């Protein structure tokens, strides 16, 4: 019997030297870095760029690039082609240890799903990220005729209600610089491109508490958008938007229903984000009907049958 008990004990084999043991037990840098990235991203719903991850985790850029490429390939992170930001991917969410992390880009919040159920139209959540407004969550309708918006798609700052509902609550100097540097293309005959007119329009958005896009970005498309407020101060960087074919919301009453649904969704999300103050303005559906009636041409024909936006079953 040798000093280790003749091999009949519980030891797995010859004892390792101190240097061998410390080397084998030392964590692998690449694994530690990958886990650090996943842990760090779980706190950022809006995601982080490669440069931000490099700076915050103090991992060399080259190493960070290799780690992120591997995590993206295996589905543990997802990268927006527009903003270049990484968020947790489905593989990470499937692990089950981040149940309370539901980034909008992965799963639409309940308020968006409820809004789509009520109106039967596509409901989109957009967010201001690095001077761009992008779609970060979508509750899509099942209608045969529907509007297609992709996750990560950038919307024009000057021609989309989903962008203007956010810009209306930003610092005026920042908005002016942003619009001045932005390519304000003409999408339809109704597209407003002049900066002064756009700034005046943002004042109207603040007065109403929502914005409307009527044939400005796409012919035959109407949209209504309301800001989501965050924290006690009510900071705005996100907006909820309902998009519909013009023919389905030609009647001011239908537009009012859609606007009220958007306002309800925005308020629900704001409450979730810690905004506790009263919402003002907060028009009733009847007030919205009167307000939006001025936007509809007198020649509009409401006699043709249209799907209702008042809730219930969808066609």
């Amino acid at each position: 019997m040798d000093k280790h008990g003749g091999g009949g004990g519980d030891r797995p084999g010859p004892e390792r030297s101190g240097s061998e043991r410390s080397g084998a037990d030392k964590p692998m840098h690449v694994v530690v870095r990958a886990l650090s990235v996943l842990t760090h991203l779980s706190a950022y719903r809006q995601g982080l760029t490669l440069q931000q991850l490099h700076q915050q985790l103090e991992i060399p850029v080259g190493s960070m690039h290799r780690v992120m490429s591997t995590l993206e390939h295996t589905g543990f992170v997802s990268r927006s082609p527009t903003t270049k930001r990484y968020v947790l991917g489905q593989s990470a969410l499937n692990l089950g240890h981040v149940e309370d992390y539901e980034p909008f880009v992965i799963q639409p919040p309940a308020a968006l799903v409820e809004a789509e159920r009520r109106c039967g139209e596509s409901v989109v959540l957009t967010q201001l990220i690095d001077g761009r407004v992008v779609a970060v969550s979508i509750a899509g309708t099942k209608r045969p005729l529907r509007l297609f918006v992709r996750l990560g798609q950038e919307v024009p700052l000057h021609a989309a209600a989903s962008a203007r509902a956010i810009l209306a609550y930003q610092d005026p100097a920042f908005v002016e610089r942003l619009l001045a540097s932005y390519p304000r293309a003409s999408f339809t005959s109704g597209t407003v491109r002049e900066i002064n007119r756009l700034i005046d329009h943002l004042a109207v958005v603040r007065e109403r508490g929502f914005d409307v896009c009527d044939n400005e970005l796409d012919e035959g498309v109407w949209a209504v958008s309301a800001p989501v407020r965050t924290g006690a101060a009510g900071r705005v960087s996100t907006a909820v938007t309902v998009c519909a074919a013009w023919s389905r919301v030609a009647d001011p009453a239908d537009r009012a229903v859609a606007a009220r649904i958007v306002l309800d969704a925005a308020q629900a999300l704001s409450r979730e984000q810690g905004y506790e103050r009263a919402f003002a303005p907060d028009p009733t559906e009847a007030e919205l009907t009167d307000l939006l009636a001025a936007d509809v041409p007198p020649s509009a024909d409401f006699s043709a049958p249209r799907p209702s936006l008042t809730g219930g079953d969808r066609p």
Side-chain angles (χ1 to χ4, degrees), residues 25-309:
D25 295 341
K26 187 176 181 180
M28 296 178 63
H29 281 298
V30 66
V31 176
V32 171
R33 286 172 172 172
L35 293 175
S36 297
V37 166
L38 295 176
T39 301
H40 197 65
L41 280 178
S42 68
Y44 291 86
R45 289 189 174 190
Q46 77 277 18
L48 293 170
T49 65
L50 183 72
Q51 185 67 19
Q52 288 172 326
L53 286 166
H54 151 65
Q55 293 173 345
Q56 295 176 21
L57 296 177
E58 298 183 348
I59 297 176
V61 173
S63 299
M64 180 62 74
H65 185 270
R66 289 191 292 273
V67 168
M68 300 311 293
S69 294
T70 300
L71 290 176
E72 185 176 15
H73 177 74
T74 54
F76 281 89
V77 301
S78 176
R79 186 184 188 221
S80 167
T82 303
T83 67
K84 310 303 181 185
R85 288 173 177 255
Y86 292 92
V87 296
L88 291 185
Q90 193 59 50
S91 294
L93 300 178
N94 288 341
L95 293 177
H97 67 283
V98 285
E99 294 176 357
D100 60 341
Y101 175 79
E102 296 180 353
F104 297 143
V105 295
I106 299 297
Q107 178 178 340
L112 239 66
V113 176
E114 173 63 11
E116 188 276 329
R117 185 196 68 78
R118 290 175 61 189
C119 69
E121 303 289 353
S122 296
V123 185
V124 183
L125 197 69
T126 52
Q127 188 171 37
L128 178 64
I129 302 175
D130 295 337
R132 296 289 184 265
V133 175
V134 298
V136 295
S137 184
I138 302 169
T141 179
K142 304 299 188 297
R143 289 184 184 275
L145 175 60
R146 55 188 182 273
L147 308 175
F148 290 95
V149 182
R150 302 185 312 276
L151 285 177
Q153 179 177 334
E154 183 177 336
V155 300
L157 300 179
H158 64 299
S162 55
R164 297 186 309 228
I166 297 173
L167 294 183
Y169 298 89
Q170 308 305 310
D171 176 73
F174 167 74
V175 172
E176 187 171 348
R177 290 195 304 270
L178 200 59
L179 290 174
S181 62
Y182 192 83
R184 300 182 304 279
S186 180
F187 297 99
T188 72
S189 59
T191 303
V192 176
R193 302 173 58 195
E194 298 81 0
I195 292 180
N196 286 337
R197 290 182 61 193
L198 289 167
I199 291 176
D200 289 343
H201 179 78
L202 295 182
V204 175
V205 175
R206 290 190 296 274
E207 181 181 346
R208 289 183 169 188
F210 64 93
D211 191 26
V212 167
C213 182
D214 192 351
N215 289 302
E216 299 172 59
L217 181 55
D218 295 289
E219 293 286 358
V221 175
W222 184 86
V224 57
S225 183
V228 176
R229 301 176 182 276
T230 302
R235 183 179 60 86
V236 173
S237 63
T238 309
V240 180
T241 305
V242 164
C243 307
W246 200 96
S247 60
R248 291 203 289 257
V249 288
D251 190 329
D254 286 339
R255 295 186 175 200
V257 172
R260 189 61 253 176
I261 290 172
V262 160
L263 288 167
D264 289 346
Q267 291 177 8
L269 288 170
S270 297
R271 295 297 187 207
E272 292 177 6
Q273 298 299 317
Y275 184 71
E276 301 295 339
R277 296 162 60 185
F279 292 91
D282 190 20
T284 65
E285 198 169 302
E287 291 170 335
L288 287 167
T289 300
D290 293 338
L291 182 63
L292 294 171
D295 297 337
V296 181
S299 59
D301 179 13
F302 307 146
S303 60
R306 299 179 312 280
S308 173
L309 286 178

